[in-house]
């Protein structure tokens, strides 16, 4: 691999950006698309407040949202982002960047400074700047083409058969990743319920979550309940469908506590703590805007189940 002049020894300093487009894992795919459109870019970085958590590209949007029949306004970036992300520090070289793109079969590499994202170097940048030649660029493209696909074994450059539209690799990949993300999202929520409530048995945490969510969904209008359910892990959707027939004004904080106490065989004080803990875990798992909207539909004496947004803490 050769590049014009001594370009390979250059650092990545010139790919530092004065303004980075960084979204949170709870931002939606729609937010990412708008950010890409407004800034004329093909990718956004995802940061969870402590570390760089992933990257979402326009290709991810096409394969995960469009091919996977997902709702861009309710699907969070943590459910579609590529979380196996390769980064390079500012003092790395162009050679390092090309090698990373080739080894990871990617065209974009975030540039960091002491772990904080400060730039992004792309294959297009390197070609447009005349820093690398066709041979170097070709090695990256070839690495991407050699990734295994439904109709193409690893190492092959082209499909070995014709995919029918309904069985295309993009669709299969999207559905497979969707299931994996759904399982992961459900697991995170149950773990949060266990941590917040102190319920140490998974089946008890799941039962408590079902009771509380069922009651809360039935207490508000079907439309508001569906908005909340859409942002919850998809594994919960079938079990919550029977509770989308509200609003049932007989449901109060006291009746939910009574249901939890009866089903989990605990006293009312403990049930009240579990109820509050589950509401905190649920609030942390969906967007702040959705929780504010849902909270607004609850009667005054139930609003304190969901603390105002500034007081919420992340999972």
């Amino acid at each position: 691999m050769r590049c014009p002049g001594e370009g390979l020894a250059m650092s990545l300093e010139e790919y530092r950006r004065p303004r980075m487009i960084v979204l949170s894992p709870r931002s939606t795919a729609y937010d990412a698309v708008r950010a890409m459109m407004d800034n004329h870019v093909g990718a956004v970085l995802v940061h969870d407040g402590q570390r760089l958590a992933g990257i979402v590209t326009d290709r991810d949007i096409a394969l995960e949202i469009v091919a996977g029949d997902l709702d861009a306004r309710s699907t969070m970036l943590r459910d579609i982002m590529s979380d196996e992300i390769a980064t390079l520090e500012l003092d790395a070289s162009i050679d390092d960047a090309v090698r990373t793109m080739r080894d990871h079969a990617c065209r974009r590499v975030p540039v960091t400074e002491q772990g904080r994202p400060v730039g992004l170097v792309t294959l297009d940048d390197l070609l447009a700047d005349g820093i690398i030649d066709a041979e170097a660029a070709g090695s990256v493209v070839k690495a991407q083409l050699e990734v295994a696909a439904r109709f193409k074994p690893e190492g092959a450059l082209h499909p070995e058969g014709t995919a029918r539209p309904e069985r295309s690799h993009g669709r299969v990949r999207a559905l497979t990743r969707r299931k994996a993300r759904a399982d992961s999202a459900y697991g995170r929520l149950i773990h949060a319920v266990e941590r917040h409530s102190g319920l140490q048995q998974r089946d008890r945490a799941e039962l408590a979550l079902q009771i509380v969510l069922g009651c809360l969904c039935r207490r508000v209008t079907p439309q508001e309940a569906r908005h909340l359910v859409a942002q919850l892990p998809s594994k919960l959707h079938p079990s919550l469908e029977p509770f989308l027939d509200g609003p049932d004004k007989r449901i109060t904080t006291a009746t939910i506590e009574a249901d939890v106490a009866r089903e989990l065989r605990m006293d009312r004080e403990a049930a009240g703590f579990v109820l509050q803990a589950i509401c905190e875990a649920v609030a942390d798992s969906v967007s702040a805007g959705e929780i504010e909207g849902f909270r607004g539909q609850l009667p005054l004496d139930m609003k304190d189940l969901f603390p105002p947004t500034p007081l919420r803490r992340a999972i």
Side-chain angles (χ1 to χ4, degrees):
M1 177 180 67
R2 303 296 298 173
C3 297
E6 298 299 322
L8 290 180
M10 295 170 53
S11 78
L12 301 180
E13 180 66 37
E14 69 174 281
Y15 295 104
R16 181 196 289 270
R17 299 287 182 261
R19 176 174 173 270
M20 293 294 296
I21 305 168
V22 181
L23 300 178
S24 78
R26 294 191 184 91
S27 298
T28 66
Y30 179 78
D31 295 331
V33 172
R34 287 301 302 265
M36 291 181 198
M37 181 180 67
D38 293 344
N39 295 277
H40 197 59
V41 295
V44 296
L45 300 182
V46 183
H47 199 284
D48 65 7
Q50 297 180 336
R51 64 180 181 87
L52 191 60
I55 186 171
V56 175
T57 69
D58 46 11
R59 188 171 186 271
D60 291 326
I61 299 294
L63 294 181
E64 307 294 345
I65 300 299
V66 180
D69 293 331
L70 302 182
D71 181 359
R73 292 182 181 273
S74 62
T75 302
M76 297 186 191
L77 297 188
R78 70 184 183 190
D79 294 327
I80 64 170
M81 69 185 184
S82 298
D83 48 17
E84 294 181 5
I85 183 171
T87 64
L88 289 171
E89 281 284 299
L90 269 175
D91 58 0
S93 68
I94 299 298
D95 195 7
D96 293 327
V98 175
R99 185 181 302 109
T100 299
M101 291 178 189
R102 186 177 63 245
D103 292 347
H104 293 268
C106 65
R107 293 172 177 247
R108 302 174 177 89
V109 179
V111 179
T112 59
E113 186 173 38
Q114 298 181 344
R116 182 174 60 89
V118 295
L120 185 71
V121 58
T122 72
L123 183 64
D124 290 350
D125 289 334
L126 299 178
L127 282 169
D129 294 343
I131 296 176
I132 64 173
D133 60 13
E135 181 183 354
S139 70
V140 175
V141 174
K142 185 172 182 290
Q144 287 190 302
L145 292 176
E146 288 177 341
V147 173
R150 178 174 173 80
F151 289 90
K152 183 176 69 65
E154 184 175 359
L157 297 182
H158 305 288
E160 296 183 349
T162 302
R164 291 181 295 176
E166 69 273 20
R167 300 183 65 191
S168 67
H169 171 64
R171 173 76 171 176
V172 172
R173 176 179 179 271
L175 292 177
T176 300
R177 286 192 63 183
R178 182 181 182 183
K179 182 181 184 305
R181 298 288 190 182
D183 290 344
S184 177
Y186 181 72
R188 286 196 302 269
L189 179 55
I190 294 301
H191 178 68
V193 170
E194 292 172 334
R195 190 174 76 247
H196 282 293
S197 68
L199 295 172
Q200 298 181 352
Q201 296 175 308
R202 184 184 176 95
D203 58 343
R204 285 171 63 81
E206 289 179 313
L207 176 58
L209 180 64
Q210 290 281 353
I211 294 169
V212 172
L213 284 176
C215 291
L216 289 174
C217 285
R218 183 162 277 167
R219 182 60 185 80
V220 299
T221 65
Q223 180 180 15
E224 190 59 50
R226 288 191 178 91
H227 287 166
L228 175 65
V229 171
Q231 293 200 18
L232 292 170
S234 58
K235 290 186 69 171
L236 285 168
H237 295 184
S239 62
L240 293 177
E241 188 65 32
F243 300 97
L244 306 182
D245 59 353
D248 184 345
K249 297 183 179 180
R250 295 172 298 177
I251 294 175
T252 64
T253 299
T255 63
I256 301 176
E257 289 176 351
D259 288 346
V260 172
R262 182 180 64 255
E263 295 299 326
L264 272 68
R265 298 181 180 179
M266 58 176 55
D267 61 43
R268 287 289 293 272
E269 183 178 357
F273 177 79
V274 168
L275 169 59
Q276 189 68 61
I278 288 175
C279 288
E280 290 181 10
V282 170
D284 287 340
S285 71
V286 303
S287 70
E290 175 54 42
I291 284 299
E292 287 304 307
F294 189 85
R295 185 173 182 269
Q297 293 293 314
L298 293 173
L300 185 61
D301 60 348
M302 294 183 70
K303 290 185 187 298
D304 59 355
L305 290 174
F306 295 102
T309 302
L311 299 181
R312 295 202 289 124
R313 55 182 187 271
I315 289 178

